Amino acid sequence: MIYLVIASLSWSLVGVLVKTAAFQFDPYTITFARFSIGVLALAGFALAARHSLKPAVLNRWIWVGAIGKSVNYLFENVGVSQGFAYGNVLVFPTQTVVLLLLGIFLFKEKLSGRSWTAAAIVVAGVLLITWNGRPLSAPLGEQGWLAVVFIASGVGAALHLFSQKMLLDAMKDVSMNYSIFLWAAILCALPLPAAADWSGTFVPGAWAAAVALGLITGLSFLLSSKGMRSVKFSVAAIVFNLPVLFTVLWAVVFYREPVTAYIAGGAVVVAVGMTMLNWPSRARSAA
């Protein structure tokens, strides 16, 4: 249980950490740091556990995961750097809805009435957060375009998780994540010569935040996998939805960011819908 809680809380801190890192670094550098430091953390874990450090090259799902996760992190970093630290709360429900659609169209999965209701609740929460009380005549005015950025990030996150689903039977957790994050780090290093833009002032907190983001990237997925083996799925479903609520809380606590009733209410609606969607039915529990 403790592994799940640590992983969930670490994901909820991503927004404020990216916001802090942005005082020194541009979104491209933050993205590269998240992957490169994450790869180093995974390499250390792999060596300690005597796993192979040879990355997979020819597996297409490794590249789907690397490209998807790169899109996820880059768009998330751009959105948080330009907007509020809680903006990435849209990533979680978008990821859930995209995975749901992939299951329906690619795996021909059939959803129960409760699942459709839960999905509708999730979408309603997303729309509430995206709207945020702005005039309907200008839904993308002010910072509304950032909602599109975070939704794109959620699509990338869904592609990464989808690739993991396809690789579970063929690769171990450490090798799979090491390969995906290594190639993602290389992909994200390509634009750095032209796009990197560091602040001239040394900001220790920004460096610490970048390192923390990398450690979260490298270790949180391993902690969540380990935790899933020791608790009931219904418990895990609740814990995995905590980032939606805590992301907003940390933005208020650390940056005093203004949170409207639309944002707070939308986050609660999303958390409720995602919990309903992930909660196992009696038939599935029996199976």
Side-chain angles (χ1 to χ4, degrees), residues 6 16 33 71 77 81 103 105 118 156 176 202 213 233 241 256 259 267 286:
I6 293 174
V16 295
V71 169
N77 294 337
S81 298
F105 291 107
M176 175 176 61
F202 175 67
L213 286 167
F233 186 82
N241 291 319
R256 299 293 190 270
V259 177

Side-chain angles (χ1 to χ4, degrees), residues 26-50:
D26 60 276
Y28 293 93
T29 300
I30 296 172
T31 304
F32 173 71
R34 292 177 72 173
F35 284 123
S36 58
I37 296 172
V39 166
L40 292 176
L42 281 172
F45 185 89
L47 290 174
R50 298 184 178 181

